[in-house]
Amino acid sequence: MLVFFLGAVIVSIHSCKHEPIVVDDDDDDPILNECHPDTIYFSRDLLPILANSCARSGCHDATTQADGVRLTDYASVVATADVRPGNPGGSDLYEVLIETDLEKRMPPPPNAPLTSEQIQMFFTWIMQGAQDLTCNEGECDLENVTFSQTVFPILQNNACVGCHSGASPSGGVLLDNYDAVATAANSGRLMGAIRHLSGYIPMPPSGNQISQCHIDQIQKWIDNGIPNN
């Protein structure tokens, strides 16, 4: 009976053997590379925040590299900011964002701290392995554009709100609530800044423009009459 039992176990083990999972790396497949709402994509979600809040002249740009930390691109971030995949609490990049000591917090005063949503994105990214993932966002949705679900999140995730809030907003322009954003939109300053047009201070001030889809969505919101929805 013992021999029969062992034989059955062996047969069972071999019968349950799983075939290796094969991942297709074909970047042209829009389904495989479709953006997942629960995944953080470094270049799309985090780099604009770093470029606008941290990788500035005198701080963590390519020239200054304060404390040896450069936050201008993925390779530099993981190499110099002590990012430990799967361990936000052990990663300096995350720890300085939640630091309660204002002398150690990043961005330092008088700059506004990152929002809780932005900090959560860094936490999630590290928990997900701190990878440099890319995705295919597909068609740009211009049919369901709202202020609360489209425009304001764009401004938050690109660190515009962080710079344009508080008692001393950058350029004297507030973007931390609907009325303020509507005022900037009506004056033309919002689109002039995000399109990097001549005569306007570009936003974000360092790095590239926000994505063309996001520019088109904000323009669509303006064309729709700047509704507070």
Side-chain angles (χ1 to χ4, degrees):
M1 292 296 293
L2 179 60
V3 174
F4 174 80
F5 175 75
L6 291 176
V9 171
I10 293 172
V11 170
S12 176
I13 291 174
H14 281 282
S15 66
C16 293
K17 181 179 180 181
H18 296 284
E19 294 298 322
I21 297 174
V22 178
V23 178
D24 188 345
D25 289 328
D26 185 359
D27 290 337
D28 295 329
D29 189 329
I31 297 178
L32 289 178
N33 292 281
E34 183 177 356
C35 297
H36 193 283
D38 295 328
T39 299
I40 301 299
Y41 299 90
F42 179 81
S43 294
R44 185 194 71 173
D45 301 321
L46 303 185
L47 190 57
I49 298 174
L50 294 174
N52 206 31
S53 298
C54 309
R56 297 179 174 186
S57 177
C59 293
H60 300 293
D61 62 335
T63 301
T64 310
Q65 300 187 42
D67 298 322
V69 177
R70 175 175 174 173
L71 302 177
T72 57
D73 56 88
Y74 174 79
S76 297
V77 169
V78 297
T80 67
D82 191 24
V83 177
R84 303 184 183 186
N87 183 12
S91 301
D92 286 352
L93 178 64
Y94 178 74
E95 283 293 289
V96 296
L97 298 180
I98 62 173
E99 178 62 63
T100 57
D101 185 341
L102 296 184
E103 294 184 358
K104 299 178 180 179
R105 191 204 75 201
M106 291 292 167
N111 301 291
L114 298 190
T115 65
S116 59
E117 291 82 3
Q118 291 169 337
I119 293 174
Q120 181 61 41
M121 284 199 293
F122 280 93
F123 178 90
T124 302
W125 174 67
I126 295 173
M127 286 296 296
Q128 292 175 347
Q131 302 178 75
D132 188 17
L133 300 176
T134 58
C135 66
N136 184 350
E137 296 191 64
E139 294 185 6
C140 183
D141 182 8
L142 297 178
E143 297 299 320
N144 303 295
V145 175
T146 66
F147 176 76
S148 61
Q149 298 300 315
T150 310
V151 176
F152 199 61
I154 291 173
L155 298 178
Q156 284 184 311
N157 293 339
N158 286 280
C160 305
V161 175
C163 285
H164 296 281
S165 62
S168 301
S170 179
V173 177
L174 281 170
L175 295 175
D176 59 358
N177 60 76
Y178 166 77
D179 289 336
V181 176
T183 297
N186 277 316
S187 69
R189 297 181 70 178
L190 180 62
M191 291 307 297
I194 64 176
R195 289 186 184 276
H196 291 197
L197 299 181
S198 177
Y200 295 91
I201 299 175
M203 184 175 70
S206 58
N208 299 322
Q209 295 180 10
I210 62 176
S211 72
Q212 186 60 50
C213 176
H214 286 169
I215 292 175
D216 292 343
Q217 287 175 322
I218 294 176
Q219 184 63 61
K220 182 67 174 180
W221 172 68
I222 295 174
D223 293 343
N224 287 343
I226 314 180
N228 185 9
N229 52 2

